[in-house]
Amino acid sequence: LANSKEEVEIYGFLDGYRGLIYGNFRMLTDKDFSGILTKGGTILGTSRTPFKTIQDPDPNGLNKVEAMKQNYYKLQLDCLVILGGNGTHKTANLLRKEGLNIVTLPKTIDNDLWGTDMTFGFQSAVDIATDAIDCIHTTAASHGRVFIVEVMGHKVGWLTLNAGMAGGADIILLPEIPYDIDKVIEKIEDRDKKGCRFTIIAVAEGAISREDAALTKKDYKKKMEKYPFPSVSYEVAAQIQEKTGREVRVTVPGHMQRGGSPCPYDRVFASRLGSEAGKLILDNQYGFMVGYKNREIVRVPLEDVAGKLKTVDPDATIVQEAERTKDGKSAKTGQPEPDIGVQEKAQKDQLLDALMGKPVQKEDNAPNPSVAKTEKSPLSEPTLEKRSKSAEGATLNKEKPSVKEELRKIKESRKEQETEVSPT
Ligand code: F6P
């Protein structure tokens, strides 16, 4: 906009909605935009102005929504450009409904905004969280301990899933897939048996156990009031330590994940979205978030975005891929190889048992995959349980041919052996 041929005045509100409510702003000129591409954070400051209380009067009885509208009209603005995550978009949509012209941009490290495949800030945070896991690898490998790295992301697991995969975490716990601590321990012990000296667990800050996920919201809230741990990672650590006697260490990179210089992806991505936002404003097209869908920059109506969370789908192929790429070294070569997956191994064992005439074990008893899959979460959709199960099924079905192939080979080699030793 600053570069457009049309004369455009740009005002920056300080600390986000707070500046709009209390009329704190300054005019922005070219020099304000110079040299900021490499900077993280915001040149205007930000504040938590929760949507939940936006319609409540402030401590002095001020009607915040009315105050924002008055400042908008007083300054004779044509449009408000709003950058932020979920809460920000709910308020933006409210202001749109109040008659203000709004264009928004998806900015959050959580990548949880509906209507866009990507938010800016996310890839930079993935880089930092991955670095944290990478650094932990060194000590983990030396000491042979269990390490937990807690990753931000609020109620969703995008950041943990991506950083967990990129950092080669052995177990990844996401809010969308409530975890079973026994399965986590089973996995740690399984790695031990395979000769792996350490286990690294990437835990989303919003991860939740099966037991907690089964609680009503009221009971869960009650439990959290007396929660003795600083965060879920410490609870997971305490449980592992108690049940296995193993040394567990927790690392919480915390707000480091929101800092530093943006990565090149984010710089390009934010520039592209910003450019499109400028175009929308010059075209007088309002009420949209500029998003990114199927590798295209798109305009998404604000009413479609506000109030919806984009969570990790437990059925998503990336989740199945994460499960399959976890684990170990080849027993033959000692080199890392794509793991056949604990689930698949169990299935293979069952088929071998069947071949040997042993009764077939039920699928329910099969060990857990690396990314824990379980039932419903109060943080995601009610159909999760069903979908989790079908995801497991999908993984198993997909892998069936290779298992069958292996069995066929075993049968053939047995036949050959029998032929070799059979009396003529
Ligand atoms: O929404 C972005 C985010 O960084 C979340 O990942 C995290 O839960 C939260 O903000 C932290 O908020 P605050 O800085 O207010 O503690």
Side-chain angles (χ1 to χ4, degrees):
L1 279 178
N3 291 334
S4 83
K5 283 187 199 116
E6 285 183 46
E7 211 172 295
V8 183
E9 270 182 10
I10 305 174
Y11 295 88
F13 288 95
L14 308 183
D15 298 336
Y17 288 124
R18 189 184 291 165
L20 183 58
I21 295 168
Y22 298 107
N24 294 327
F25 62 89
R26 66 183 166 90
M27 201 165 171
L28 299 177
T29 60
D30 280 5
K31 84 171 170 27
D32 288 297
F33 299 105
S34 169
I36 63 172
L37 193 62
T38 56
K39 286 189 183 164
T42 154
I43 54 168
L44 292 170
T46 186
S47 63
R48 291 275 185 223
T49 313
F51 173 75
K52 219 162 57 176
T53 54
I54 200 74
Q55 309 211 49
D56 300 346
D58 84 345
N60 297 317
L62 180 78
N63 181 326
K64 290 177 276 191
V65 176
E66 278 310 312
M68 287 194 275
K69 282 165 65 180
Q70 275 173 25
N71 282 322
Y72 176 94
Y73 290 121
K74 225 192 290 172
L75 287 167
Q76 298 185 327
L77 301 179
D78 295 302
C79 165
L80 274 178
V81 183
I82 301 173
L83 285 68
N86 268 297
T88 304
H89 275 79
K90 284 192 226 168
T91 301
N93 192 41
L94 175 76
L95 294 176
R96 178 194 64 81
K97 286 199 255 179
E98 291 288 324
L100 308 193
N101 292 334
I102 311 281
V103 169
T104 69
L105 292 157
K107 180 219 62 77
T108 164
I109 64 162
D110 301 339
N111 193 30
D112 59 351
L113 263 170
W114 186 267
T116 183
D117 293 341
M118 187 63 70
T119 59
F120 56 89
F122 173 70
Q123 292 293 347
S124 302
V126 169
D127 282 3
I128 298 171
T130 304
D131 276 352
I133 300 173
D134 285 354
C135 289
I136 293 300
H137 258 103
T138 316
T139 317
S142 313
H143 286 260
R145 291 171 179 152
V146 174
F147 270 89
I148 293 178
V149 182
E150 183 172 295
V151 181
M152 272 187 169
H154 202 42
K155 291 179 181 172
V156 303
W158 293 108
L159 200 46
T160 311
L161 178 59
N162 281 268
M165 284 182 84
D170 307 296
I171 299 171
I172 300 172
L173 304 183
L174 308 180
E176 292 87 347
I177 307 172
Y179 66 87
D180 176 343
I181 195 67
D182 292 331
K183 301 267 167 88
V184 172
I185 289 169
E186 210 171 277
K187 180 73 187 172
I188 295 169
E189 286 171 346
D190 186 52
R191 281 181 54 77
D192 252 18
K193 276 186 220 140
K194 287 178 179 170
C196 307
R197 272 177 60 76
F198 62 88
T199 296
I200 295 180
I201 313 177
V203 176
E205 64 177 351
I208 186 164
S209 67
R210 287 170 79 152
E211 294 75 22
D212 286 352
L215 295 176
T216 60
K217 265 193 177 172
K218 202 171 144 205
D219 287 343
Y220 182 66
K221 217 173 144 196
K222 224 190 246 168
K223 179 188 163 170
M224 293 319 279
E225 277 162 17
K226 292 188 193 140
Y227 196 60
F229 303 102
S231 65
V232 63
S233 294
Y234 291 90
E235 184 180 6
V236 173
Q239 287 174 323
I240 296 171
Q241 221 154 277
E242 190 195 310
K243 292 194 180 190
T244 68
R246 250 165 257 254
E247 257 191 290
V248 187
R249 293 285 188 271
V250 177
T251 301
V252 183
H255 288 78
M256 275 175 62
Q257 293 161 95
R258 288 206 328 217
S261 182
C263 68
Y265 179 97
D266 271 334
R267 295 179 198 185
V268 174
F269 185 49
S271 300
R272 290 184 67 193
L273 296 185
S275 161
E276 178 68 10
K279 207 156 152 257
L280 277 177
I281 295 160
L282 295 175
D283 292 348
N284 298 317
Q285 295 288 312
Y286 304 118
F288 294 103
M289 175 186 80
V290 182
Y292 188 65
K293 275 267 163 204
N294 305 319
R295 301 193 185 170
E296 299 282 345
I297 306 287
V298 292
R299 303 168 174 192
V300 193
L302 263 179
E303 65 259 42
D304 293 350
V305 176
K308 289 189 212 151
L309 207 58
K310 184 185 72 192
T311 57
V312 176
D313 180 352
D315 284 352
T317 49
I318 188 173
V319 174
Q320 295 169 25
E321 285 147 9
E323 288 167 9
R324 284 200 296 265
T325 52
K326 281 303 92 201
D327 236 1
K329 291 172 183 163
S330 157
K332 279 187 206 140
T333 64
Q335 294 301 310
E337 64 171 9
D339 187 38
I340 61 164
V342 185
Q343 287 269 348
E344 189 193 342
K345 184 177 176 304
Q347 193 196 26
K348 184 179 152 190
D349 290 345
Q350 286 169 16
L351 288 166
L352 276 169
D353 283 351
L355 194 72
M356 304 295 283
K358 289 189 193 164
V360 175
Q361 221 186 354
K362 273 197 175 158
E363 206 176 276
D364 287 350
N365 299 333
N368 204 36
S370 311
V371 178
K373 279 194 176 301
T374 34
E375 294 109 5
K376 65 177 185 222
S377 157
L379 307 171
S380 52
E381 296 142 73
T383 52
L384 198 59
E385 182 173 7
K386 237 197 258 163
R387 292 160 58 206
S388 294
K389 284 199 172 133
S390 70
E392 284 174 19
T395 310
L396 287 171
N397 290 340
K398 257 196 197 149
E399 302 305 335
K400 259 183 188 164
S402 66
V403 175
K404 277 189 178 162
E405 180 62 15
E406 284 214 55
L407 282 172
R408 192 186 57 73
K409 281 187 196 153
I410 293 167
K411 269 187 191 170
E412 268 175 15
S413 80
R414 282 203 182 142
K415 256 191 219 156
E416 275 166 25
Q417 280 168 15
E418 276 165 19
T419 327
E420 276 167 25
V421 294
S422 63
T424 47

